[in-house]
Amino acid sequence: MENGRSSTHSVKVRRPLIVRAVFAMALLLAAPVSIFALPSYADVQKKLPDLWSARFPVPLQSSVSDPGKRGTLYCLIDGRPAYYFNFAATVDRPIRDGEELKTKTKRTMEIWVQYLPGVNRYEIYLERIDRLPGTGKRWMK
């Protein structure tokens, strides 16, 4: 009788785990593919002016996507995937002339847009590639 109870009890414990696993797999298969798709450079470039203006007071004049033609940089941040998109951005250099701001020259700089797919968040970094957050960096085409 003890053996009958333990086998019945183990089935009761295993059944919810199996049901949960099957439900999770069905949910993943039924979810739209766009949840798992990465944005393209064109998508990120469309968002770049809004991301830039939310953080910096100088307007973004122009941007060139993937200037090195290396693709997207993948890494892990706290065990979660993160993706970096590289841009060459041109901005005005404002100079104060009395109480007015004048633009004398333009400056081109390298910027990185970080995309975190789990939270669907974008962030701008003005760092060198070796100073970007994340580990296990590798290029993806």
Side-chain angles (χ1 to χ4, degrees):
M1 198 163 191
E2 285 295 319
N3 288 341
R5 282 187 192 172
S6 64
S7 65
T8 305
H9 179 66
S10 65
V11 169
K12 288 181 181 178
V13 171
R14 290 183 187 157
R15 182 173 287 153
L17 292 176
I18 292 171
V19 170
R20 287 181 188 159
V22 169
F23 179 72
M25 290 300 292
L27 185 64
L28 286 174
L29 293 175
V33 176
S34 64
I35 290 175
F36 303 107
L38 286 177
S40 65
Y41 263 99
D43 296 334
V44 177
Q45 193 164 18
K46 287 178 189 174
K47 292 179 187 254
L48 188 57
D50 293 332
L51 294 169
W52 184 269
S53 64
R55 187 165 174 195
F56 302 106
V58 178
L60 182 67
Q61 297 300 317
S62 66
S63 62
V64 176
S65 61
D66 199 13
K69 304 293 182 218
R70 295 180 285 187
T72 305
L73 185 64
Y74 166 84
C75 69
L76 292 175
I77 298 176
D78 296 331
R80 294 185 177 171
Y83 301 90
Y84 289 100
F85 297 87
N86 188 12
F87 292 91
T90 304
V91 295
D92 290 334
R93 276 192 173 165
I95 299 171
R96 186 172 296 274
D97 184 22
E99 298 211 9
E100 291 184 31
L101 284 178
K102 294 184 178 180
T103 302
K104 193 169 187 179
T105 60
K106 297 192 181 302
R107 177 181 181 194
T108 301
M109 63 178 79
E110 179 179 37
I111 63 171
W112 296 87
V113 177
Q114 178 193 65
Y115 172 67
L116 300 172
V119 291
N120 197 22
R121 188 177 73 195
Y122 294 87
E123 183 66 39
I124 293 178
Y125 284 90
L126 303 174
E127 299 280 342
R128 295 185 328 232
I129 189 171
D130 61 332
R131 306 277 299 171
L132 291 172
T135 59
K137 294 181 179 105
R138 62 182 166 89
W139 290 101
M140 300 172 33
K141 285 287 179 183

